[in-house]
Every structure is written in C-alpha cells, then in structure tokens.
Amino acid sequence: MSMQILGKQSLFYGIGHIITRSIGFLLLPLYTNYLSLEEYGVIALVYTFLGFMNIILHYGLDASLLKHYVGSNVYNQKTVLTNVYTSLFITTFMTVSILLLFKNKIGYVLFGFKDSQIIILVLGILFFDTLLSIHNLIIRAEQKPKLYICVSLSNVLFNVLLNIYFIIYLRLGINGVLIGNLISSFTIFLLTSPIIINRFSFSRLSFVKWKQLMIFGYPLLFSGIFSMILELSDRYIIRLLIGIEAVGVYNAGYKIGMIMMIIVSGFNMAWQPYFLNKKVNERKYIADTSIILLTLICSFWLFILLWSETILTFQIFGFSFYGENYWDSINIIPYVALAYIFHACYLIQIPGYYLLEKTEYIAWIRFCGALFNIALNFLFIYIYGIIGAAVSTCLSYLIMAVLVYLLNKRLFPIQYSINNLFLIFGLLLLVVNLNYFFVLSETVKFLITILYPTIIIYLGGNKQLFIDLIKKK
C-alpha cells in the first residue's frame, strides 16, 4: 500500500470514528433540556457499564482478528472470522443470559434502581453492539473506508432521529434513549450481517486456531480495561461519594470536553498506520508531528477555555444548547479537554514501543494511569466534588505522558524542539492566568484566539512545517 492510499484511508477511518463518537455530543442538547439530572445520571452510568462490558466481552479477540485477518488469503480469513465470531457470539449470549437472571440486583448495584425493563434494553444493546463491532472491524480489515463512513453515519442518524422521536414526542425519558439505541444497533446489525454471513463457514471451526487467536488477544484485554477505568470509572465514584444527580451534571460537562478526545482519536487512527511504516532509526517525524499537533489542539483548547461558557449558555427563544440545570458543569470542561491534550502527548510518543515490539510497556503505563486515576478520584472528589474528578483525569493522563517520556529517554530517545514546546505551553499558561485574574472582553478573547497559533507558527519558526502539511494534503 502506498503512503498516499494509506493517508487517504486513514483520513476516512478517522472521519468515521469521529462521526461515531460524536453521537453523545449531538444528543447533549436533547438530554440536558429534556432529561432531569437524575435521569441523565442514570444514562451516564449505563453507557459507562456498556463501555466496560464491550472491552471484557471482546477479551482481545477483536485485536487478534485484525492481526490475523489482514494480509491472509481467503481461506485463512474465513477460518479466523469463523472462530472469532463463534467465540464472541457464544460468550456474549451466555453473559447476557446470566445477567438477565439477576437483572434486578444488577440494576440496583450498577444504576441505583430495579427497573427490569431498562436492564433488558441495556443488555440487548450490549449483545448487538458487541457483535456489530466485528462487522465494522471486517470493513476496516478489508480496506473499505467509504463503507465504514456510511455505516458510521447511518448509525448516528438512526440514533439521533430515534432519540428525538422517543424523548420529545413520546416523552419516554430513559426508556426512550435506550429503545432508540437498541433499534439503531439492531438495524445496523441486520444491514451489515451479510458481511459476516458471506465470510462464515462452520467447517472452519478449529480449537487449535481459536487457541492461537486467544494467545495473541487475551493479554490485550487488560490494556483495554485499564484504558476504560481511566476514562470512565469517575462516574461510579461520583455516584458513590456524591449522588446520581452529580453524575448527570459531571457527564454533561465531560461530553463537551470530549470534543478534544474525538479530535485526538481521529489523529491517532491516522498516526498509528503512519508510524508503523517508519524505520526504527527514523525519529525526526515524531518531533515535527508533535509541534503541529500541539499547536492545533492547544489552539482549540484555548477556544474552549475562552468561549465555552458564552456558547453553551447562549439562548434562542429560551432554548440553549445546554440545559440550565447543567450549567454548573461548564467549569469542568477545560480540565477534561486538557486531559486529552496530555493524552495526545502520550500517543505522540509511543511509536518506539511498537517499532521495538515492546508493547508490554504500554499496558504497564496504562495500569499506572488507571491506578492513579482511581486513587486521585477518591481523594479529590471527596474534597472538591465533580471538579476533583476532572482534575484527577487530567493529572492521570499527564502522569502517563511523563512516564512514556522518561522510558523513551532510555528505549527510544527523541530530539524535541524545546524552544517550541516552551513557546506552546508558556503562552498557554499566560492566557490561562489572564483569563483567571481578569474579566476578558470578547474582543480580547477573539484576538487571543487568532494570535496564539499565529505567534507559534511564525515566532517559533514553524511556518514551513505547516506549509508542507498543507501541500501534502
């Protein structure tokens, strides 16, 4: 595959990923204006549960499928898919069936209620989403980026339209959210099922092959769990220490801050295939990419810091993007967005671990991040409330970025432009202090928004980097 084709497909997959992850953001005006704090808190816990369970129910076989499917002949591809899909179908069906038997207890422990209908809907979503992810994975493995975007966009449109219908017109509240999600997941599952049917053969079932796939994939389960703990555990700790309504407020602010995560994730989907084509002794591209990426995302972070309150509280005919009951969460948005800047600093430094085949370090770094996150959450949430949860996430990602940097000094040294990094973060810190100690007019905010990236590009001597980037596009 040429770099031109690789770059084009990476862009498509990045767009598809951004579309998929934007569902929560697109539905935020609906949820914060039509759901109570308690109802939205329950929704936040439900999707936290689904996130954890999706990692557990794949137990690394999704990554193993991608590893053994790409580049294989048709016979081997059928063997790999058949064994992975059969395994996941059986374990997911058994897990959902067992959870259904204890649905009332699960509902009370995880979500704070005993509504069996809601638990049934949640488990239905879990079943179809677990299998649907394999359909999407095959599309990626066979390098069909346009189809990937179509599936992603269809999923978003179904979800948004069904949520509007069930919440606004039928007034079904939590049930409306989950019914809409279940119908959407089931519909996309059916529409994409030919992808699996045409590549599946019972005659290819093999315990030896399944064991081989498990040996590769199972260790990755723990890395995934650590990542989910880092990203989602704060909701349950908030519920435990403060209450379900605080979860609703926190999750609303977190969704806005996650705009940065969506951008960083889109970058990462292009970044991984890009650096995997590099040689071990090639490293300058990492330093150059870091300057470009940090300039762009730090500029966007300043926009969030300076303008989020103005935008989110702006009302048209008494209706705002953000429901008034959730305005208290605006203060956590910059911390959440900053956390994903540190996450980008972590991602930009990891090529060496892949190129040197030392990916076990990544799992340990994520473990440290998850451990710090849990400890800091219990401490800071108890003292500072939901702001403490956002700060904990921010510090945990910072710790991961620092750990990667320190290990890289020994394993994979990278010569960064210290002057540029000082300029990027120095100016950022200056603006943060100006915003904290002074009431900035909209004119000043506008000037800062424009001048920040301009100064870095020209004063930092990075003009040619950005010109080259535009030319490559």
Side-chain angles (χ1 to χ4, degrees):
M1 181 193 299
S2 70
M3 287 302 293
Q4 184 180 7
I5 296 174
L6 176 63
K8 182 180 178 181
Q9 293 192 353
S10 297
L11 177 63
F12 274 113
Y13 293 135
I15 292 171
H17 180 75
I18 290 171
I19 290 171
T20 302
R21 295 305 296 260
S22 67
I23 293 177
F25 176 74
L26 293 174
L27 291 172
L28 197 57
L30 184 66
Y31 293 163
T32 58
N33 283 280
Y34 287 92
L35 297 181
S36 67
L37 292 172
E38 183 178 357
E39 287 177 322
Y40 189 55
V42 171
I43 292 298
L45 293 179
V46 163
Y47 285 105
T48 299
F49 169 75
L50 289 173
F52 275 118
M53 290 304 297
N54 264 295
I55 294 294
I56 292 171
L57 288 178
H58 283 119
Y59 44 91
L61 277 184
D62 49 346
S64 190
L65 168 66
L66 195 61
K67 165 71 175 175
H68 293 91
Y69 192 94
V70 175
S72 297
N73 57 46
V74 175
Y75 181 88
N76 286 331
Q77 287 179 341
K78 277 195 172 185
T79 302
V80 170
L81 174 62
T82 299
N83 283 277
V84 168
Y85 204 81
T86 302
S87 181
L88 292 179
F89 182 89
I90 292 172
T91 53
T92 303
F93 181 81
M94 290 176 61
T95 302
V96 169
S97 298
I98 293 170
L99 293 176
L100 278 172
L101 295 176
F102 302 97
K103 55 183 179 292
N104 290 330
K105 290 183 179 179
I106 290 171
Y108 181 76
V109 171
L110 295 178
F111 314 126
F113 59 82
K114 295 183 179 180
D115 189 332
S116 59
Q117 183 180 359
I118 289 179
I119 303 303
I120 292 170
L121 292 171
V122 171
L123 295 177
I125 294 168
L126 178 62
F127 178 80
F128 289 112
D129 278 1
T130 301
L131 298 178
L132 180 58
S133 66
I134 303 302
H135 300 200
N136 289 323
L137 202 60
I138 294 299
I139 295 172
R140 286 181 57 197
E142 295 185 354
Q143 300 170 16
K144 297 177 179 177
K146 292 181 181 179
L147 178 59
Y148 183 79
I149 282 190
C150 287
V151 172
S152 300
L153 188 58
S154 299
N155 190 24
V156 170
L157 288 175
F158 273 124
N159 248 305
V160 171
L161 293 175
L162 289 170
N163 268 268
I164 291 172
Y165 177 71
F166 287 122
I167 294 174
I168 295 180
Y169 292 99
L170 298 186
R171 302 281 181 176
L172 292 180
I174 296 174
N175 284 5
V177 175
L178 298 178
I179 291 171
N181 195 329
L182 180 58
I183 293 174
S184 176
S185 296
F186 177 68
T187 303
I188 301 298
F189 175 83
L190 285 182
L191 291 175
T192 57
S193 58
I195 294 172
I196 302 300
I197 294 170
N198 294 335
R199 296 160 179 80
F200 187 95
S201 174
F202 282 110
S203 64
R204 307 288 164 80
L205 284 173
S206 166
F207 178 76
V208 174
K209 188 64 178 180
W210 176 82
K211 187 177 179 181
Q212 178 192 353
L213 293 165
M214 282 294 298
I215 289 172
F216 177 86
Y218 186 68
L220 298 175
L221 165 65
F222 301 101
S223 182
I225 290 175
F226 298 148
S227 295
M228 296 307 294
I229 288 173
L230 183 59
E231 188 173 325
L232 300 172
S233 62
D234 47 11
R235 277 70 158 186
Y236 277 100
I237 298 174
I238 290 172
R239 180 200 162 200
L240 178 67
L241 297 180
I242 306 177
I244 190 69
E245 290 188 357
V247 177
V249 175
Y250 176 76
N251 199 66
Y254 201 99
K255 287 293 183 183
I256 299 296
M258 279 181 66
I259 297 173
M260 187 67 77
M261 185 273 286
I262 293 171
I263 294 170
V264 171
S265 296
F267 159 77
N268 191 44
M269 292 195 77
W271 178 235
Q272 279 194 329
Y274 177 74
F275 70 66
L276 287 172
N277 278 274
K278 296 291 185 178
K279 296 178 181 178
V280 174
N281 59 349
E282 292 182 88
R283 303 184 188 185
K284 186 178 182 300
Y285 71 94
I286 299 176
D288 291 343
T289 304
S290 68
I291 298 303
I292 295 172
L293 177 65
L294 287 174
T295 300
L296 295 175
I297 62 177
C298 286
S299 299
F300 187 68
W301 184 81
L302 277 184
F303 178 85
I304 291 173
L305 175 72
L306 298 174
W307 296 100
S308 58
E309 183 173 0
T310 303
I311 295 170
L312 295 175
T313 58
F314 181 75
Q315 292 186 319
I316 301 176
F317 303 115
F319 182 88
S320 62
F321 179 89
Y322 220 45
E324 288 188 40
N325 291 335
Y326 297 84
W327 286 1
D328 287 344
S329 69
I330 291 174
N331 292 331
I332 77 166
I333 295 172
Y335 294 104
V336 175
L338 184 60
Y340 288 105
I341 289 182
F342 293 139
H343 185 47
C345 293
Y346 159 81
L347 292 173
I348 203 77
Q349 297 181 88
I350 63 172
Y353 299 95
Y354 285 88
L355 297 175
L356 296 173
E357 298 186 1
K358 294 184 179 292
T359 53
E360 67 273 11
Y361 285 99
I362 295 175
W364 280 108
I365 291 169
R366 289 181 179 178
F367 170 74
C368 291
L371 197 63
F372 273 107
N373 185 250
I374 292 173
L376 291 173
N377 267 314
F378 274 105
L379 177 63
F380 287 176
I381 292 171
Y382 180 77
I383 299 173
Y384 303 110
I386 62 172
I387 286 285
V391 172
S392 298
T393 301
C394 191
L395 291 176
S396 298
Y397 278 118
L398 174 60
I399 289 167
M400 287 173 58
V402 171
L403 287 175
V404 173
Y405 174 75
L406 293 175
L407 279 171
N408 265 347
K409 290 182 73 174
R410 181 169 62 89
L411 295 175
F412 196 77
I414 302 166
Q415 190 66 41
Y416 293 103
S417 172
I418 301 301
N419 290 337
N420 271 306
L421 292 177
F422 180 80
L423 183 63
I424 290 170
F425 289 107
L427 284 177
L428 202 67
L429 188 60
L430 175 63
V431 175
V432 169
N433 280 283
L434 286 173
N435 186 64
Y436 182 80
F437 289 107
F438 302 97
V439 178
L440 303 179
S441 67
E442 292 191 355
T443 302
V444 173
K445 289 180 181 179
F446 177 77
L447 288 174
I448 291 173
T449 305
I450 299 299
L451 288 175
Y452 177 79
T454 305
I455 290 171
I456 294 171
I457 291 171
Y458 287 93
L459 190 60
N462 300 307
K463 181 180 176 181
Q464 193 59 45
L465 273 179
F466 284 86
I467 290 174
D468 292 343
L469 177 66
I470 294 169
K471 284 182 177 178
K472 285 178 182 178
K473 286 183 177 181

